[in-house]
């Protein structure tokens, strides 16, 4: 029976999520149980694509990514894949009618990462759209459970929240991106190094995205709201930690929130949610 393989595929996506992201794994736990497997599947898909361009050094990344793209669409068309990650993902795409344009846009952003580059404003916006905003929209498709009106209503908020998360990742990973991967995402840094003024400008831009994204969280279906809020709280605190650091420090180390602090944040989030303070 295919059910056994499908269940194995879902467990594989969950295992990938747990292995790569403590924060994302914890956030998923606070979603309604019906959303767990679909969101694990989305994360597993985007994580594998990201691994191709970020860590598979010494291999033909472009060929691997192209194969991954072809296998993705083959899985969606046939409704099955022997790759458990793609098998779980195709089920989500077909069940929740995820627009293939979202997948195309995401994979294009991964392709952009194949070359060492500095991003101008246009490329930066395209990369944010593909690597973060459309991933938020894939998750939103799951959360609204096929309600097209609700999806269109929440779409701009989900995009802004995804944008904020990604820009924070860029600040957090600035040292690794610039020194080891040859990437400078922020267009303000094309011709200069990070300084305090530029860092402040970037942080203010993120705060604007966050403000819009938070309004969207409050409008999410109740079953999805708390899990997304937990992710918001984590990234909000990560941003505040970054804001307290000088620009020079951002260039020298990756910013982290220790696991014990994460658990404290999530417990505080639970209390706010329980008392309807969200």
């Amino acid at each position: 029976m295919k059910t056994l393989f499908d269940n194995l595929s879902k467990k594989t996506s969950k295992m990938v999520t747990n292995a790569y992201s403590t924060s994302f794994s914890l956030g998923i736990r606070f979603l309604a149980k019906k959303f767990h497997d679909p969101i694990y599947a989305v994360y597993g898909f985007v994580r594998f694509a990201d691994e191709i361009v970020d860590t598979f050094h010494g291999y033909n990344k472009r060929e691997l990514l192209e194969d991954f793209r072809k296998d993705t669409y083959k899985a969606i068309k046939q409704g099955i894949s022997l790759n458990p990650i793609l098998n779980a993902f195709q089920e989500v795409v077909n069940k929740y009618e995820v627009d293939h344009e979202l997948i195309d846009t995401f994979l294009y952003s991964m392709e952009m990462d194949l070359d060492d580059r500095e991003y101008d404003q246009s490329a930066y916006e395209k990369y944010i759209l593909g690597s973060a905003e459309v991933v938020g929209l894939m998750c939103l498709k799951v959360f609204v459970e096929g309600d097209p009106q609700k999806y269109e209503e929440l779409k701009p908020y989900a995009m802004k929240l995804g944008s904020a998360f990604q820009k924070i990742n860029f600040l957090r990973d600035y040292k690794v991106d610039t020194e080891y991967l040859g990437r400078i995402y922020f267009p303000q840094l094309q011709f200069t190094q990070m300084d305090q003024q530029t860092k402040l400008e970037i942080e203010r831009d993120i705060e604007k995205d966050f403000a819009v994204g938070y309004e969207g969280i409050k409008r999410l279906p109740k079953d999805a709201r708390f899990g997304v809020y937990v992710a918001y709280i984590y990234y909000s605190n990560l941003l505040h930690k970054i804001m307290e650091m000088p620009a020079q420090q951002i260039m020298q180390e990756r910013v982290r929130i220790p696991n014990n602090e994460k658990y404290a944040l999530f417990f505080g989030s639970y209390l706010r949610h329980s008392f309807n303070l969200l």
Side-chain angles (χ1 to χ4, degrees), residues 62 74 82 127 129 154 226:
R62 196 172 299 277
K74 183 178 180 180
L82 294 182
Y127 187 83
L129 173 64
L154 294 174
F226 183 46

Side-chain angles (χ1 to χ4, degrees), residues 4 7 9 62 80 125 140 166 199 218 233:
L4 182 60
N7 289 336
S9 298
R62 196 172 299 277
I80 189 172
E125 291 174 4
L140 182 60
Q166 184 65 295
K199 177 173 172 286
K218 294 191 289 185
I233 287 296

Side-chain angles (χ1 to χ4, degrees), residues 20-63:
Y20 279 101
S21 178
T22 303
S23 306
F24 204 84
S25 299
L26 287 170
I28 291 176
R29 293 181 191 178
F30 292 110
L31 297 169
K33 189 172 179 58
K34 62 183 175 182
F35 295 141
H36 289 192
D37 287 339
I39 301 303
Y40 282 133
V42 171
Y43 183 87
F45 170 74
V46 301
R47 182 71 260 170
F48 265 34
D50 199 49
E51 282 302 292
I52 291 172
V53 299
D54 277 0
T55 65
F56 292 175
H57 310 308
Y59 299 90
N60 189 328
K61 296 181 182 181
R62 196 172 299 277
E63 185 176 297

Side-chain angles (χ1 to χ4, degrees), residues 185-253:
Y185 290 109
F186 295 112
Q188 301 96 316
L189 301 176
Q190 270 194 300
F191 305 108
T192 185
Q193 284 193 323
M194 175 88 70
D195 59 27
Q196 203 61 29
Q197 181 57 38
T198 305
K199 177 173 172 286
L200 181 60
E201 291 173 5
I202 293 169
E203 290 164 351
R204 286 174 175 169
D205 178 53
I206 295 171
E207 287 180 315
K208 290 177 183 177
D209 286 346
F210 251 151
V212 177
Y214 180 72
E215 289 303 311
I217 293 174
K218 294 191 289 185
R219 302 184 189 197
L220 279 170
K222 186 176 181 180
D223 288 345
R225 192 182 309 149
F226 183 46
V228 180
Y229 177 67
V230 165
Y232 166 84
I233 287 296
Y234 168 73
Y235 271 97
S236 179
N237 278 269
L238 186 58
L239 176 61
H240 289 151
K241 191 167 187 175
I242 290 171
M243 292 172 71
E244 292 173 355
M245 300 168 66
Q248 191 65 29
Q249 190 173 355
I250 295 294
M251 296 170 62
Q252 295 174 347
E253 65 182 69

Side-chain angles (χ1 to χ4, degrees), residues 249-265:
Q249 190 173 355
I250 295 294
M251 296 170 62
Q252 295 174 347
E253 65 182 69
R254 187 178 192 269
V255 185
R256 297 179 182 274
I257 294 182
N259 284 341
N260 62 326
E261 290 185 27
K262 291 178 187 176
Y263 295 132
L265 288 175

